[in-house]
Amino acid sequence: MGYARACSVALVGVEGVVVEVQADLEPGVAAFTLVGLPDKSLIESRDRVRAAVVNSGAEWPQKKLTVGLSPASVPKSGSGFDLAVACAVLGAAERLDPAAIADVVMIGELGLDGRVRPVRGVLPAVLAAAEAGYQQVVVPEQTAGEAALVPGVSVLGVRSLRQLIAILCDEPVPDEPVDDRGRPDAMLAGLMVPGTGLGAGLASPQGEGHIPDLADVAGQPRPRKALEVAAAGGHHLLFSGPPGAGKTMLAERLSAVLPPLTRQESLEVTAVHSVAGILPPGEPLVSRAPYCAPHHSATMQSLVGGGNGMPRPGAVSLAHRGVLFLDEAPEFSGKALDALRQPLESGHVVVARAAGVVRLPARFLMVLAANPCPCGRHSLTGAGCECPPSVVRRYQARLSGPLLDRVDLRVEVEPVDRADLLEQGGRGESTAVVAARVREARARAAERLAGTPWTTNSEVPGHELRTRLQAAPGALAAAERDLERGILTARGLDRVLRVAWTVADLRGAPRPEDRDIAVALELRTGIQRGAPMEMGAL
């Protein structure tokens, strides 16, 4: 009787569980049994592994073979277990030394010819292995750069099973030919899910290689300043106005204004994108804030996560540490919009399905764009809006009060006049200038919040804002009056304080004053209060 074991990783959402792959050979009729709660793609690994082992020059054991995946209670899916299963079988057949593979984590799919194909989710899998104390990982050669992002782990990238056998047995490593006929590498096809890259990946909203500039937006000083405040403090934003005023242009330029991701944030975003299958090959680490803009026909499951079997990341998770833009927000279903309430508050989403419960990261900056009515001409003078008042009220009520209460900034985007459109009033500030102010404001906030679990003003609880981080004496008088009149809720008052701290950080002030509270109230309620909102006035 022969026995050997290797290790792999099962992904549950974006978190990994180390799985011990055990192979046992017994005398009897040749058979291959796979146990341990595998899914359909994992059950099919029996045929893939057998063909790969034979085509790699090794002998397949003609005995009763049982492969167990432990712990057996954890659902296991995908083809990333193939490499570990093959090595465990070869260890049980004494082709490999069982001791040499016992503490090695192996991730990869096997082709019938023995080539090792890359799979999605390598980064979170290696992170889980490192947290479990494993120090050696074998991955496909194409994803070795992604696995090497995890510190303290020795990564071996292999191109085929025969190469891995030679390395483990200390034999000469055979050369594998590379297909260099100019066509796309077919080995990378498993990394990208078809149809998921557009509007949800790392590409710029305007196209690959193009970063839209804020200076392209004509006029709109108030929305531009609201965009800057949103980027500096991580505040959610609502743009309302007629079609063609520039709401989408402003939202598409927000991700470029945000600061570059830190190392920890980059690992978080890369892990989500790797699992979702939108991580571009050759770019193992995401360094820029992602931008996700789902269509208004998106379902609740596509927004918050779901799917058959174990839930997969949705748009809110793909926009983690970046921007989630909902254009034509009233056209989204009410069920889908209300599902955003919980991730807006907590920064994560918990998806419960029959196959299990998954916790996915979802700390994003939400931008809503809405027209005033179905035809979009309700707020224009002499534009000929024919929508009855009841239709206008019904259209605007699609954005529920509890959802809007979680939006810090609500700005009316007015139509662009002729002077601004023809640049007679001069171009506005560029993205680089605004991004520099945003970085300085975030640095002030990070210095003030050092030693706390928060990094931006939008994350600070209201209790801290009312006790430890207080505004200047008498600065809250106007906000307190709005609270008594019912214009603000208790949550709204806390969000006004958060925005006021961001405005103070942009000014370089030590704490919010009455002018900062006035700006925050005007951005929150839309009521004109004479606050200075011109470019550079803050």
Side-chain angles (χ1 to χ4, degrees):
M1 182 179 70
Y3 172 83
R5 62 184 177 89
C7 295
S8 191
V9 179
L11 289 178
V12 182
V14 294
E15 299 176 353
V17 178
V18 176
V19 174
E20 192 175 272
V21 181
Q22 306 166 347
D24 177 72
L25 283 175
E26 297 179 356
V29 179
F32 190 169
T33 305
L34 184 63
V35 297
L37 215 59
D39 72 340
K40 180 65 174 176
S41 61
L42 187 49
I43 291 176
E44 292 175 349
S45 69
R46 296 179 300 184
D47 300 318
R48 291 195 302 270
V49 169
R50 182 187 292 110
V53 169
V54 173
N55 291 327
S56 297
E59 184 180 352
W60 184 261
Q62 297 300 319
K63 295 182 180 180
K64 181 182 178 181
L65 173 62
T66 303
V67 175
L69 308 176
S70 179
S73 59
V74 177
K76 303 164 190 72
S77 61
S79 56
F81 294 87
D82 290 1
L83 197 59
V85 171
C87 289
V89 172
L90 292 175
E94 298 183 352
R95 176 64 177 87
L96 298 176
D97 182 8
I101 61 174
D103 295 322
V104 179
V105 175
M106 302 180 183
I107 305 165
E109 176 186 335
L110 285 176
L112 299 184
D113 57 353
R115 290 183 299 172
V116 181
R117 302 181 65 94
V119 294
R120 298 188 298 271
V122 167
L123 177 59
V126 177
L127 284 171
E131 292 176 359
Y134 292 87
Q135 299 178 349
Q136 293 181 320
V137 178
V138 178
V139 298
E141 187 180 54
Q142 293 86 346
T143 57
E146 182 181 345
L149 297 174
V150 181
V153 177
S154 176
V155 178
L156 173 62
V158 295
R159 194 175 299 170
S160 66
L161 179 60
R162 61 178 64 91
Q163 280 188 345
L164 179 58
I165 294 174
I167 292 172
L168 292 175
C169 296
D170 199 16
E171 300 173 354
V173 180
D175 292 332
E176 295 292 341
V178 179
D179 188 0
D180 56 355
R181 285 177 282 184
R183 61 189 181 190
D185 189 358
M187 298 288 285
L188 300 176
L191 293 178
M192 299 289 290
V193 177
T196 58
L198 296 177
L202 305 179
S204 166
Q206 296 290 332
E208 188 67 30
H210 175 75
I211 299 178
D213 197 334
L214 199 58
D216 299 335
V217 180
Q220 307 295 1
R222 189 178 301 272
R224 288 170 61 100
K225 186 53 62 176
L227 198 75
E228 181 178 342
V229 173
H235 306 287
H236 305 303
L237 178 61
L238 167 64
F239 285 136
S240 59
K247 303 185 293 294
T248 303
M249 286 186 66
L250 288 163
E252 288 176 344
R253 283 147 179 80
L254 179 55
S255 60
V257 177
L258 293 175
L261 300 178
T262 63
R263 175 73 177 187
Q264 180 60 33
E265 292 172 347
S266 295
L267 289 177
E268 294 175 6
V269 176
T270 304
V272 176
H273 288 201
S274 178
V275 170
I278 62 173
L279 190 63
E283 298 182 21
L285 186 65
V286 180
S287 58
R288 290 195 294 121
Y291 173 86
C292 184
H295 191 259
H296 61 258
S297 62
T299 62
M300 183 186 71
Q301 289 78 10
S302 66
L303 283 180
V304 301
N308 296 327
M310 193 60 66
R312 298 179 61 83
V316 297
S317 297
L318 300 181
H320 180 59
R321 302 295 182 183
V323 178
L324 176 67
F325 176 47
L326 302 182
D327 199 5
E328 305 294 343
E331 300 295 341
F332 283 79
S333 69
K335 186 178 180 182
L337 290 176
D338 289 338
L340 300 176
R341 297 185 197 175
Q342 186 250 344
L344 285 176
E345 287 289 333
S346 61
H348 64 268
V349 59
V350 179
V351 184
R353 295 291 185 269
V357 179
V358 173
R359 185 180 186 270
L360 300 170
R363 187 168 296 281
F364 55 89
L365 199 164
M366 182 180 68
V367 180
L368 303 175
N371 294 327
C373 67
C375 74
R377 301 190 297 269
H378 177 68
S379 59
L380 299 178
T381 304
C385 175
E386 298 179 355
C387 300
S390 59
V391 173
V392 175
R393 287 194 303 269
R394 214 166 28 244
Y395 184 80
Q396 296 178 351
R398 292 181 181 178
L399 299 178
S400 65
L403 177 65
L404 291 180
D405 202 29
R406 290 166 167 82
V407 178
D408 299 347
L409 311 173
R410 309 173 191 175
V411 181
E412 186 75 23
V413 183
E414 302 291 343
V416 183
D417 57 25
R418 179 175 58 85
D420 289 330
L421 190 60
L422 299 179
E423 296 186 6
Q424 296 176 1
R427 287 170 60 88
E429 291 180 318
S430 65
T431 297
V433 175
V434 177
R437 285 202 300 265
V438 169
R439 287 195 298 270
E440 293 175 1
R442 288 222 176 185
R444 296 187 186 99
E447 182 180 358
R448 181 175 63 253
L449 299 174
T452 68
W454 317 296
T455 56
T456 58
N457 294 323
S458 62
E459 303 172 4
V460 182
H463 175 73
E464 292 287 325
L465 295 171
R466 294 188 297 270
T467 56
R468 190 171 67 89
L469 302 175
Q470 294 184 353
L476 288 176
E480 292 171 356
R481 286 195 300 268
D482 285 357
L483 181 64
E484 293 175 354
R485 296 170 182 170
I487 300 177
L488 286 179
T489 62
R491 180 191 285 121
L493 179 61
D494 292 343
R495 293 185 178 274
V496 166
L497 288 174
R498 295 171 183 172
V499 175
W501 270 106
T502 302
V503 176
D505 289 335
L506 287 170
R507 289 199 305 114
R511 58 178 178 174
E513 301 174 358
D514 51 356
R515 60 181 294 187
D516 303 318
I517 299 294
V519 172
L521 284 172
E522 186 167 330
L523 292 174
R524 168 76 183 182
T525 63
I527 302 174
Q528 302 292 330
R529 301 170 187 268
M533 293 293 294
E534 295 79 12
M535 296 305 300
L538 297 184

